[in-house]
Amino acid sequence: MILRRIGLLAIAGVLALAGSAALAPALSPELAHADTPTVLKVGLTEDVDTLNPFTAVFASSTNIGRMMYEFLTTYDQKTQAPVPALADRWSHSADGLTWTFHIRDGEKWSDGQPVTAKDAAFTFNLMMTNTDAATANGNFVANFTKVTATDDSDLVINIKHPQATMLALDVPIVPEHVWSGIKDIGKFANNPSPGHPVVGDGPFILTDYKQGQYVMLQANKNYWRGAPKIDQLEYLKFDNSNAAYAALIKGDVDLLNNLTPTQFNTLKHTKNVATNQAEGNRFVDMIINSGTATNTGSPIGTGNPNLKDVKLRQAIAEAIDPDELVKNVYGGYAQPGTSYIPPRFATYHWNPTGSQLRKFDPAAANAALDAAGYPKGPDGIRIGKDGKPLNLTLIGDSSQTQDSQEAQYIKGWLQAIGIGVNIQLATTNKVNDLTNGGDFDLALSGYGVDPDPDYVLSIQTCAQRPNSAGLGGTTESFFCNAQYDQLYAAQLSEMDPAKRAADIKQMEQVFYDQVPEVTLLYKANLEAYRSDRWAPFAIQPDPGGNIMFQNGYWSYLEATPLTADSTSSGGVNVGLIIGIVAAVIVVGGLVVFFARRRRVAGDDRE
């Protein structure tokens, strides 16, 4: 599998050097590189859903988007405090309803056009007027009333109520002269074509993409913070963590995260590999289909109707043992889940105590279900209020090793309280499709949390459910609760940090009591890289932070190779590849070989 995915890239590179121009996209002069470029190869086990910054929601996709486009502000690498990015300074009116951002002078898009306040105004106005453009980050502009560029340098944003996130608008700013011609934002892939890289202004420029295989970017030599120390950044997709782990050992990739505890423990003692354990900024949860519906309340999906009963959901939560998952699935590299926001963000993390705290107690869960009217049938499976056996489907991601392990534990715990569980593992995109459509009972999920938690709070509001056509929205659990929504609006407009934190903790309590999901745990970020090729990477925050999937571009921007040629081949044996190519030509012809490779490697885009 590794040879199939990595080998195709290496072969294409060899043939390009031999003169096969059709296999290597031409680059504009400002993106040209040396004959032996320095390449950082990053392994991915999660799919890229899209490279369209308006609709991308997967962690892999949004991380790549941070490489391609600048935001108004970003997070400081060490402290996570907001710092200048595209905007070099800002101010606001006394009432907090008018914000003015000054756009950095001299900034240019990769095609040479100037970056101006008009690009930022276009981006925000598009999100305010186009439902598809608000898919990923619409929460940031929901409170906006008007956005204007008074000139090329000054962006003015008027808002309805004070907004605590005005220095944490995680919105990629796009070039108006490119995106104004896009007729259907929701369907636009934003993929490069040969000779036509995607126009951006971030530290890297997107030059090539094959769905399910790789994403290639080249350094933006004109980036305002200074050019990256590497020439190319490549993300290579693997079917699962075992394949990615093997590629790191072999040297086919340089950097990898989402390692299993066993892999991480082995790599701590592996020559030429360094490891990084970061405090988790992600929660792992199991969402419960408590009633999937559109943003107007029309039911959708195929969820079991019994799960609308909060008593059933509470019993399910009480039957699950997060401590056991931390110990036996995550090898101790996690913290048991309590509330929604991870303890890494201590200001906003809420801990249930006393009678609020749900403890692992199968006996109590059984008694609660007896009292709630779910009797056990002859086979031990309880009967639902609809008169049918209470059998639930649990969906997980087949590319994530820990999903299958978690699912087995959950199945056993729920069977112990009389609930049948059928485990279904599918690809990342398939899981995404099923959960977005409400076609699930239980599903393993998880989200990364920003230093400002507004985004993950917003995805549980009523407004983030899809429209009648099944489009738009970023809901995770289809949760819709009036009290939660009122608190969400209150925290967003609360400018006193302590009062805002109190509102957020109250939101977490409402969410916890209603059980639209069970927060299982907060896993540590387990990462590793080739220390024979790379100096230690920047982490965010510092100390205790992670390299990959952070809220910024620091690790890639500052990536430092140890030698000029240490990463040029990515560990692939070029001589061996040439031999394989020669053998294939003898056997059946070069064209037949590549045709088969494309089909096997999944080149077709959805």
Side-chain angles (χ1 to χ4, degrees):
M1 184 60 67
I2 297 166
L3 180 59
R4 184 170 75 223
R5 294 190 179 278
I6 309 302
L8 177 57
L9 303 183
I11 294 168
V14 170
L15 293 179
L17 291 175
S20 179
L23 296 175
L27 298 174
S28 56
E30 62 271 25
L31 295 176
H33 291 272
D35 291 336
T36 55
T38 302
V39 183
L40 174 60
K41 296 180 182 289
V42 180
L44 293 180
T45 54
E46 181 183 67
D47 287 331
V48 171
D49 55 339
T50 177
L51 294 173
N52 180 334
F54 293 106
T55 58
V57 294
F58 286 6
S60 55
S61 310
T62 55
N63 180 257
I64 293 170
R66 289 183 182 273
M67 305 302 114
M68 298 165 54
Y69 301 103
E70 193 64 277
F71 297 18
L72 288 181
T73 63
T74 190
Y75 298 104
D76 182 81
Q77 181 234 321
K78 294 184 179 294
T79 67
Q80 302 269 64
V83 293
L86 184 58
D88 58 5
R89 59 184 184 273
W90 48 82
S91 61
H92 61 79
S93 60
D95 61 5
L97 300 181
T98 301
W99 285 72
T100 302
F101 293 87
H102 182 271
I103 302 304
R104 190 173 301 279
D105 295 330
E107 182 80 354
K108 290 186 177 182
W109 296 107
S110 55
D111 62 357
Q113 294 291 317
V115 180
T116 72
K118 295 175 183 177
D119 294 302
F122 167 81
T123 300
F124 290 122
N125 278 306
L126 185 63
M127 295 172 64
M128 293 166 63
T129 58
N130 185 300
T131 302
D132 290 336
T135 297
N137 298 304
N139 60 298
F140 293 114
V141 301
N143 185 44
F144 289 13
T145 58
K146 184 179 180 182
V147 182
T148 56
T150 56
D151 53 34
D152 285 350
S153 298
D154 293 311
L155 175 76
V156 178
I157 301 177
N158 299 104
I159 54 181
K160 304 172 191 174
H161 311 286
Q163 182 166 324
T165 61
M166 290 303 291
L167 296 182
L169 300 174
D170 289 342
V171 175
I173 304 301
V174 302
E176 180 180 11
H177 65 279
V178 174
W179 286 82
S180 60
I182 307 303
K183 295 181 180 180
D184 192 334
I185 296 294
K187 294 182 179 179
F188 183 59
N190 198 34
N191 295 335
S193 59
H196 298 283
V198 171
V199 177
D201 64 341
F204 295 90
I205 307 301
L206 178 65
T207 58
D208 197 8
Y209 168 57
K210 299 295 182 187
Q211 186 173 24
Q213 296 181 52
Y214 59 82
V215 181
M216 294 186 178
L217 304 100
Q218 293 204 8
N220 181 358
K221 297 302 183 182
N222 297 316
Y223 185 55
W224 71 270
R225 290 189 190 273
K229 298 176 183 179
I230 60 175
D231 296 307
Q232 297 178 10
L233 174 61
E234 297 180 4
Y235 294 84
L236 305 175
K237 173 65 173 63
F238 296 88
D239 286 339
N240 53 62
S241 63
N242 289 331
Y245 167 76
L248 180 72
I249 295 291
K250 183 181 176 183
D252 288 341
V253 296
D254 301 306
L255 175 62
L256 191 63
N257 77 340
N258 204 27
L259 294 161
T260 67
T262 300
Q263 293 168 348
F264 188 74
N265 288 334
T266 300
L267 290 174
K268 286 196 293 187
H269 306 287
T270 300
K271 183 179 179 181
N272 296 328
V273 173
T275 57
N276 180 57
Q277 177 183 341
E279 183 180 2
N281 68 327
R282 297 181 64 84
F283 61 80
V284 174
D285 64 345
M286 182 184 73
I287 53 178
I288 302 175
N289 191 332
S290 55
T292 51
T294 67
N295 54 17
T296 59
S298 299
I300 60 173
T302 58
N304 191 305
N306 291 285
L307 292 172
K308 295 179 182 179
D309 184 354
V310 68
K311 293 182 179 179
L312 174 58
R313 301 198 302 272
Q314 289 170 341
I316 288 173
E318 202 168 23
I320 292 174
D321 187 359
D323 290 308
E324 190 79 6
L325 295 177
V326 168
K327 178 182 177 182
N328 292 333
V329 177
Y330 288 84
Y333 292 112
Q335 296 173 266
T338 52
S339 61
Y340 189 54
I341 304 297
R344 171 167 166 174
F345 307 103
T347 300
Y348 304 112
H349 175 67
W350 173 72
N351 259 325
T353 57
S355 61
Q356 295 174 326
L357 178 62
R358 251 188 329 257
K359 298 180 180 179
F360 173 58
D361 193 339
N366 265 308
L369 290 177
D370 289 340
Y374 295 93
K376 288 185 178 179
D379 58 356
I381 299 299
R382 294 183 181 275
I383 305 301
K385 300 294 180 67
D386 57 356
K388 299 177 182 179
L390 197 52
N391 290 303
L392 305 177
T393 298
L394 172 58
I395 297 172
D397 190 331
S398 59
S399 70
Q400 303 300 317
T401 303
Q402 288 153 341
D403 271 23
S404 62
Q405 297 171 328
E406 290 165 2
Q408 290 296 336
Y409 276 99
I410 292 169
K411 178 178 181 177
W413 288 324
L414 296 191
Q415 284 180 333
I417 62 170
I419 298 175
V421 175
N422 174 36
I423 298 172
Q424 291 185 5
L425 300 179
T427 65
T428 307
N429 282 327
K430 182 63 175 178
V431 170
N432 194 50
D433 290 341
L434 291 171
T435 53
N436 283 348
D439 297 319
F440 68 97
D441 297 326
L442 311 170
L444 294 170
S445 181
Y447 266 83
V449 180
D450 293 337
D452 187 297
D454 181 75
Y455 177 77
V456 293
L457 296 172
S458 76
I459 64 175
Q460 309 297 356
T461 60
C462 298
Q464 288 308 312
R465 297 174 298 171
N467 62 24
S468 59
L471 303 175
T474 55
T475 183
E476 185 208 23
S477 64
F478 287 83
F479 186 58
C480 181
N481 179 279
Q483 185 182 5
Y484 182 95
D485 278 13
Q486 290 169 1
L487 288 165
Y488 175 77
Q491 67 81 31
L492 184 61
S493 61
E494 180 56 70
M495 304 306 289
D496 182 299
K499 292 180 179 179
R500 184 182 181 221
D503 287 339
I504 290 174
K505 289 178 180 180
Q506 193 173 348
M507 291 174 68
E508 293 178 82
Q509 182 177 349
V510 171
F511 196 64
Y512 181 87
D513 290 341
Q514 291 299 310
V515 208
E517 57 92 71
V518 180
T519 302
L520 301 174
L521 50 90
Y522 318 106
K523 67 176 182 178
N525 293 316
L526 303 181
E527 305 171 308
Y529 65 90
R530 294 292 305 205
S531 58
D532 56 336
R533 300 175 185 169
W534 300 94
F537 286 86
I539 59 173
Q540 182 182 344
D542 189 2
N546 44 296
I547 300 171
M548 291 179 60
F549 292 175
Q550 56 185 325
N551 306 106
Y553 33 59
W554 305 106
S555 58
Y556 306 111
L557 177 63
E558 300 176 8
T560 305
L562 294 180
T563 61
D565 61 351
S566 60
T567 60
S568 59
S569 67
V572 177
N573 187 326
V574 177
L576 175 62
I577 297 299
I578 294 173
I580 293 174
V581 173
V584 172
I585 293 173
V586 170
V587 171
L590 185 60
V591 174
V592 173
F593 171 76
F594 273 98
R596 290 176 179 169
R597 283 289 184 177
R598 282 197 294 269
R599 288 198 295 269
V600 170
D603 182 65
D604 292 339
R605 296 173 183 165
E606 298 177 351

